[in-house]
Amino acid sequence: MSIVPAEAVSARVRGAYDARTGGDGGAAPLAPRARLLPALAAVYRAQLSRARVARIPLLFVATFQSVGIMVLMRGVVDGGAEARAVVAGSSVLVVAFVALNLLAQYFGQLRASGGLDHYATLPVPPAAVVLGAAGAYASFTAPGTVVTAVIGSVLFGLPLTHLWVLVAVVPLAGAALAGLGAALGLLAPRQELATLLGQLGMSAALLLGVLPEGRLPGPIAFARDLLPSTYGVEAFARTFDRYPHWPTVALDLAVCAAVGVLSLAVATWAYRRAAVR
């Protein structure tokens, strides 16, 4: 039996704990939140690894769908500006299928299943979660977009000289559409509604992006200007000219980048709103 009073033992234990934690007997301080760039890289790698197996078959479907649309349009469009619009729109449609449609479904499912609670407990900024997931989904679109652009150029007899512009078109259009898809998935009150909104958004990208602008009625052509991916389509289509007007291409890409920043900011706000509920 110890002859040391219990009060003395308790005081000694508290003193040792305070010496280790630097406190006065209260709760230990939490670890600092991770910085944006390291957290973004970690989320991106995790999402890329997760989506590698599950999304590759869907990427094949998206590419096959875009190539099929170009084959169908080949019987209607002979060449010229309309052919350039079809090839550019079909190429960006691959981005819309993955970055908009699938990301809306993913965040809708994550919200419905309580998966946002897991991310909310991690010491990472909300922007890192949204940007990491959006970047991972958009990364899967690059191979399908290149394949679609090459097949379409050969099919319509368009030059392959300036396909390198896809290096800018894919990430910028992907960011704009991924931000829109994430916002739709996070703001939808139910998972089924998120899936519906994602499919409607992809259908809008199909109708407004692939069909030549000159064949669209006035109000629908105005709606085309509101679609985030339109400016990426326009920038890519202009590069099929023999002598592209690069300042106009750069302007379209700049507008696409601005829309991408805005849509990702809205998606980050939607994530914070959904995570606290």
Side-chain angles (χ1 to χ4, degrees), residues 44-138:
Y44 175 81
R45 288 194 300 268
Q47 289 289 339
L48 197 65
S49 176
R50 175 188 177 277
R52 183 178 293 119
V53 176
R55 302 308 178 192
I56 286 180
L58 294 175
L59 177 60
F60 173 79
V61 172
T63 306
F64 183 80
Q65 170 185 262
S66 295
V67 172
I69 290 172
M70 289 190 301
V71 172
L72 291 176
M73 294 297 293
R74 184 64 180 85
V76 180
V77 176
D78 294 329
E82 294 183 344
R84 295 193 290 268
V86 169
V87 175
S90 298
S91 301
V92 177
L93 182 62
V94 180
V95 182
F97 183 85
V98 177
L100 196 162
N101 185 24
L102 297 185
L103 199 59
Q105 296 182 32
Y106 170 72
F107 273 107
Q109 179 184 6
L110 199 66
R111 181 183 180 184
S113 62
L116 289 180
D117 297 336
H118 166 71
Y119 284 105
T121 59
L122 299 177
V124 295
V129 178
V130 174
L131 292 175
Y137 274 72

Side-chain angles (χ1 to χ4, degrees), residues 26-44:
L30 297 176
R33 293 180 65 85
R35 290 176 298 176
L36 176 62
L37 292 182
L40 173 60
V43 174
Y44 175 81

Side-chain angles (χ1 to χ4, degrees), residues 77-272:
V77 176
D78 294 329
E82 294 183 344
R84 295 193 290 268
V86 169
V87 175
S90 298
S91 301
V92 177
L93 182 62
V94 180
V95 182
F97 183 85
V98 177
L100 196 162
N101 185 24
L102 297 185
L103 199 59
Q105 296 182 32
Y106 170 72
F107 273 107
Q109 179 184 6
L110 199 66
R111 181 183 180 184
S113 62
L116 289 180
D117 297 336
H118 166 71
Y119 284 105
T121 59
L122 299 177
V124 295
V129 178
V130 174
L131 292 175
Y137 274 72
S139 297
F140 277 93
T141 65
T145 302
V146 173
V147 170
T148 303
V150 171
I151 294 177
S153 299
V154 174
L155 189 64
F156 287 91
L158 299 176
L160 301 172
T161 308
H162 303 300
L163 288 186
W164 56 265
V165 79
L166 288 174
V167 175
V169 171
V170 170
L172 294 179
L177 292 171
L180 178 60
L184 292 176
L186 290 167
L187 293 176
R190 293 189 302 172
Q191 179 182 352
E192 297 81 7
L193 187 57
T195 301
L196 175 62
L197 292 175
Q199 292 176 349
L200 288 176
M202 190 197 67
S203 299
L206 168 61
L207 296 175
L208 302 179
V210 174
L211 295 179
E213 183 180 6
R215 299 194 176 187
L216 296 175
I220 298 180
F222 175 75
R224 182 177 182 270
D225 294 335
L226 300 178
L227 190 67
S229 59
T230 296
Y231 303 97
V233 173
E234 291 289 340
F236 186 29
R238 296 181 196 279
T239 62
F240 288 120
D241 295 336
R242 177 172 296 183
Y243 302 105
H245 190 254
W246 293 111
T248 306
V249 174
L251 179 60
D252 286 331
L253 292 176
V255 174
C256 191
V259 174
V261 170
L262 179 61
S263 65
L264 289 171
V266 172
T268 302
W269 169 81
Y271 170 81
R272 289 195 183 98

